[in-house]
Amino acid sequence: MMKSLLKFVFLPKDVSAVETRHINRINRVALGACLAHLPLFLLVAWLCQTSLLQALGFGCLLVLGPVVSTLVLRNPRMQSLVFGFTTMALGALLVHLGQGPMQIEMHFHFFAALALLTVWGNPSVIWVATITVALHHFLFWLFIPASVFNYAASIWVVLVHAIFVVVEAIAASFIARNFFDNVIGLEHIIEEKTQEVKQQHEDLKQIMDNTAQGFITISLDGRILSEPSTILTSWLGKVDVSSAFEFFGRINSEFGFRLRLVTEAIQEDMMPLEVSLDQFPRRLQVEGIALGIEYRPIMENGRVQKILLVISDLTSQLEKARNERIQQETIGIFEKVTHDSFGFLEFLEEGSRLVAQIVDVPASDPIQVSRYLHTLKGNSGLFGVHSIADLCHKIESEIEEHKEGLSPANGQELKHAWQDLQDRVSIFSVKEPRLQVSEGDLLDALAKIKRGASRDDIIKVLVSWRYEPIKSRFSRFAEQTRVIAERLEKLPVEIVTEDQGLRLPKENWSGFWAAFAHAIRNSVDHGLESPDQRKELGKASGWIRFSTQVRADGFSIIIEDNGAGIDWDRVRDKCRNKGLPHSNPDEMMAALFSDGFSTTDQANAFSGRGIGMGSLKVECARLGGTIALNSVRGQGTQLCFHFPLTAMLEPEEAQRAA
């Protein structure tokens, strides 16, 4: 408690500039007040018929103290202590000179002076004055009692005076210290608070600089309100502009544009806050670093005033997720290779051809690039190579958005992704079987021999074994159909295949089979209804049939389903919107195979861009074939591809046959 009392009485050692100016000003006023006592003493001495010489002599001696301290002492607080002593000494001289009936009233000088001493804001000054007046009363009462009282006062009178002085001193000390703390010491308070805020800022910056996240606060008009953390500067570079829109726009123009657009929407309160926040761009790619951005609104008076951007480095996280996807994909590829090595090898060969064509197609022919991309995407998805399918989908979206061909950067990215796939597949040591001959093929050949078939007929059978059996194709298509139906939640689906033992040259038909996958996806996606829809329509199940027909003048490959059929009214509306002919069924059918035509409004991973059927038409025409389409609303769709007999042969053989 004593320590607290001393801390209260004695001010801090440091003297601020504000306190110095204040004390110097009060000291000058006090010096003038002390000098003004001299004529007052002479007047009191004359009126009370006491010594004028004492009034002048003792008065000058007492005033000399403040004058000397002002000239000699440099510490303004020490000067104020001198004034505390001098004020009470002058009061003692006034009481001495005012002997007579009014002597007791002269004691009011002590109490008034104690009250005035609070202006220094220093309790020490008050207690110096209190001790001075206490000693004066006690000593002068002992040796010169007439100098203090105008009657024979007892020691108890002295004590009563002392008690009043002490009580006032305590109150005056409290007032003085509060005056110091809240007025004179305000600079100290401000400085301490400033230091606290500065330290908090430094601590916060230290934390921000040593976290894996970067922070930046912007106003709704785009001004950057906070100093970016060190890690943010290392990612994005030095922030040398005041506008966040301009700063981020230099890194990525689309990001900066969307940031401005959404921020202005929030400022104008155009949509619910949650909806607006969802529109902010969430990803930013900067020199190989993938950054994720979260947006946290800062509210004031119920409205958003600022936006805090919390930026994180997602590179390792995304890379880890990518590696996990690649690992799962590789396991799936191994299962595909184990189950159907021939089919997967064919996919790789066709994919390599498509990638080369995509990269080599001139940028001025975006339609052809889109055809190849769409085919590669579809086949990659069917074989579980989603890394390629997703990349193709992304490139398709960019081509559609910018209305331009393949960019060099996208071309290189696709080549590298495809090479990575080939490197992963190479570890499986997949080898293509030389012949695809089933037990049934062998039994048929033996039966011909036993029946005494001619040598030419037997050779014809053996030579046909070089070709690919459509049966294996249909089997692969059936599996792909199940995969698509499962992903689109269309199961159960019955799949029927009727190949009639037909074989076709692999090299010449690989392009058609790759494009044929588009017809499969359309049948499942646009044709088949969901189980609930089939139940409402009273359909027992959904089915898709793959079949062939061989005639004297050629052969056909057919895919049909019992789905919803083509909505010709919707086709007509789409034709009208696109400015395509639609006055009769033939014109509307032609529209279905035109580039960019689709009856759906939203593209997905399987269909919707209107590119696939155009690719299929091109491949069919390359083989000399035609397409017939028959669709009845609510009953299903049949797509029939007619080819001449020469399409069964390799190009050289077809030329010789012609």
Side-chain angles (χ1 to χ4, degrees):
M1 182 175 179
M2 180 60 68
K3 186 177 180 180
S4 299
L5 182 60
L6 293 175
K7 188 176 180 181
F8 177 80
V9 173
F10 297 104
L11 301 179
K13 292 182 179 180
D14 295 334
V15 181
S16 68
V18 172
E19 183 184 358
T20 300
R21 289 194 297 270
H22 173 74
I23 296 178
N24 285 335
R25 184 167 60 253
I26 297 300
N27 286 345
R28 288 193 297 271
V29 173
L31 180 60
C34 289
L35 293 174
H37 276 68
L38 294 177
L40 177 63
F41 291 155
L42 292 173
L43 177 61
V44 171
W46 177 73
L47 291 174
C48 296
Q49 298 180 0
T50 51
S51 175
L52 293 174
L53 184 61
Q54 288 183 4
L56 184 61
F58 286 121
C60 290
L61 183 63
L62 292 176
V63 172
L64 185 61
V67 173
V68 172
S69 67
T70 302
L71 297 175
V72 175
L73 298 178
R74 292 289 178 262
N75 188 328
R77 285 184 183 172
M78 295 302 296
Q79 296 177 26
S80 63
L81 294 177
V82 173
F83 281 107
F85 170 80
T86 303
T87 302
M88 295 299 107
L90 291 173
L93 181 57
L94 181 63
V95 172
H96 174 76
L97 296 174
Q99 295 178 23
M102 301 296 294
Q103 189 177 26
I104 292 299
E105 282 71 16
M106 296 297 177
H107 286 75
F108 287 119
H109 182 280
F110 297 118
F111 297 103
L114 277 175
L116 292 173
L117 291 178
T118 57
V119 298
W120 270 280
N122 188 349
S124 297
V125 175
I126 295 170
W127 287 105
V128 165
T130 301
I131 293 171
T132 301
V133 71
L135 289 174
H136 161 260
H137 271 56
F138 181 71
L139 294 176
F140 276 64
W141 174 78
L142 284 177
F143 300 107
I144 316 175
S147 181
V148 183
F149 300 105
N150 57 359
Y151 61 94
S154 67
I155 186 65
W156 298 109
V157 175
V158 177
L159 290 176
V160 169
H161 279 244
I163 290 172
F164 279 112
V165 170
V166 170
V167 170
E168 183 179 359
I170 293 172
S173 296
F174 179 78
I175 295 171
R177 185 56 194 254
N178 275 273
F179 181 64
F180 173 83
D181 290 337
N182 297 310
V183 180
I184 301 175
L186 186 60
E187 185 179 42
H188 279 295
I189 298 173
I190 294 174
E191 185 177 354
E192 287 178 4
K193 295 299 182 182
T194 302
Q195 288 298 324
E196 288 180 12
V197 172
K198 185 176 180 182
Q199 187 61 47
Q200 291 174 357
H201 177 75
E202 290 295 328
D203 292 343
L204 181 60
K205 191 173 187 303
Q206 189 74 13
I207 293 172
M208 292 171 60
D209 289 345
N210 288 276
T211 60
Q213 293 179 312
F215 304 88
I216 188 170
T217 305
I218 67 172
S219 63
L220 295 185
D221 59 2
R223 288 179 294 112
I224 297 176
L225 302 177
S226 63
E227 181 182 353
S229 56
T230 301
I231 193 170
L232 190 62
T233 305
S234 68
W235 291 335
L236 304 178
K238 183 179 179 181
V239 181
D240 53 1
V241 293
S242 60
S243 170
F245 307 144
E246 180 182 352
F247 175 69
F248 285 103
R250 292 188 309 192
I251 300 171
N252 184 294
S253 58
E254 183 179 355
F255 186 97
F257 174 75
R258 288 185 59 193
L259 182 64
R260 179 192 296 272
L261 196 66
V262 178
T263 306
E264 290 177 350
I266 293 176
Q267 187 175 23
E268 296 173 5
D269 201 17
M270 297 172 59
M271 296 181 291
L273 179 59
E274 294 77 10
V275 176
S276 296
L277 292 175
D278 286 340
Q279 306 304 312
F280 273 119
R282 301 283 172 173
R283 292 286 184 269
L284 183 62
Q285 194 78 19
V286 184
E287 297 181 356
I289 302 176
L291 299 177
I293 298 93
E294 297 179 20
Y295 300 86
R296 300 177 184 175
I298 299 175
M299 312 291 290
E300 293 180 10
N301 299 323
R303 293 182 61 86
V304 180
Q305 300 296 331
K306 308 170 189 174
I307 302 289
L308 172 64
L309 279 64
V310 183
I311 304 177
S312 307
D313 184 356
L314 303 181
T315 307
S316 59
Q317 179 181 338
L318 295 177
E319 185 64 23
K320 180 181 178 182
R322 177 184 175 276
N323 290 336
E324 289 177 353
R325 289 196 303 271
I326 292 296
Q327 185 179 21
Q328 293 174 355
E329 182 178 278
T330 304
I331 294 173
I333 289 173
F334 178 74
E335 294 174 351
K336 292 282 185 182
V337 170
T338 303
H339 179 68
D340 184 12
S341 61
F342 181 80
F344 196 82
L345 275 174
E346 186 175 71
F347 159 70
L348 287 179
E349 292 177 2
E350 178 64 15
S352 297
R353 181 182 68 82
L354 287 170
V355 170
Q357 289 176 320
I358 290 168
V359 175
D360 292 340
V361 169
S364 59
D365 192 1
I367 292 297
Q368 190 62 46
V369 171
S370 297
R371 286 174 181 165
Y372 293 146
L373 268 173
H374 203 62
T375 300
L376 179 62
K377 179 183 80 170
N379 291 342
S380 298
L382 289 175
F383 279 92
V385 187
H386 301 296
S387 59
I388 300 297
D390 292 343
L391 177 58
C392 290
H393 189 74
K394 185 196 81 168
I395 296 174
E396 277 185 325
S397 299
E398 291 185 12
I399 291 176
E400 184 176 347
E401 179 181 355
H402 301 297
K403 307 300 181 185
E404 296 177 355
L406 185 77
S407 68
N410 283 336
Q412 289 300 314
E413 186 177 6
L414 181 60
K415 285 178 65 176
H416 291 156
W418 189 258
Q419 184 60 51
D420 175 68
L421 172 64
Q422 291 180 314
D423 292 342
R424 284 187 281 141
V425 173
S426 65
I427 64 175
F428 301 141
S429 300
V430 184
K431 294 183 179 179
E432 179 182 353
R434 292 183 178 275
L435 294 176
Q436 295 187 73
V437 182
S438 66
E439 184 179 356
D441 293 331
L442 289 173
L443 293 176
D444 288 342
L446 289 174
K448 287 181 182 292
I449 294 173
K450 289 179 180 180
R451 289 197 305 267
S454 66
R455 178 174 175 272
D456 290 341
D457 287 342
I458 295 173
I459 290 175
K460 185 177 180 181
V461 170
L462 296 177
V463 168
S464 71
W465 287 357
R466 294 181 306 163
Y467 296 163
E468 177 189 19
I470 285 185
K471 180 179 181 179
S472 64
R473 282 285 177 184
F474 281 1
S475 176
R476 196 172 304 131
F477 291 156
E479 181 179 352
Q480 293 170 351
T481 301
R482 291 189 187 92
V483 170
I484 298 173
E486 181 178 7
R487 292 181 186 171
L488 294 176
E489 299 181 351
K490 299 288 183 75
L491 291 178
V493 175
E494 181 184 356
I495 302 170
V496 181
T497 61
E498 300 171 358
D499 62 279
Q500 299 186 33
L502 192 64
R503 285 175 174 265
L504 297 172
K506 172 189 167 185
E507 296 295 333
N508 200 32
W509 279 78
S510 61
F512 175 81
W513 293 130
F516 190 78
H518 297 305
I520 299 174
R521 290 193 292 274
N522 279 351
S523 290
V524 179
D525 193 6
H526 302 319
L528 296 181
E529 300 97 345
S530 67
D532 291 339
Q533 291 171 330
R534 288 199 292 265
K535 186 176 180 180
E536 292 177 2
L537 295 171
K539 291 185 178 181
S541 65
W543 56 259
I544 291 180
R545 179 184 292 117
F546 300 96
S547 62
T548 62
Q549 291 180 358
V550 181
R551 303 183 305 277
D553 61 339
F555 66 98
S556 302
I557 298 173
I558 304 166
I559 177 174
E560 53 188 323
D561 63 69
N562 71 331
I566 296 175
D567 185 348
W568 292 108
D569 291 336
R570 185 169 179 79
V571 172
R572 186 178 294 105
D573 291 340
K574 286 283 185 177
C575 288
R576 187 181 298 110
N577 293 336
K578 287 183 172 291
L580 297 174
H582 55 278
S583 59
N584 56 61
D586 290 339
E587 289 180 345
M588 287 192 289
M589 177 181 159
L592 291 174
F593 292 91
S594 63
D595 291 313
F597 186 92
S598 176
T599 56
T600 61
D601 297 321
Q602 185 70 37
N604 57 34
F606 296 100
S607 59
R609 294 193 183 275
I611 300 296
M613 299 308 288
S615 300
L616 186 55
K617 179 182 178 181
V618 170
E619 288 297 329
C620 181
R622 182 179 61 81
L623 295 169
T626 59
I627 303 175
L629 185 148
N630 182 30
S631 180
V632 178
R633 189 65 176 159
Q635 298 183 21
T637 300
Q638 182 190 75
L639 198 58
C640 184
F641 302 89
H642 300 293
F643 299 97
L645 291 175
T646 52
M648 292 184 178
L649 306 175
E650 291 184 347
E652 296 80 4
E653 294 177 341
Q655 289 179 358
R656 287 196 298 270

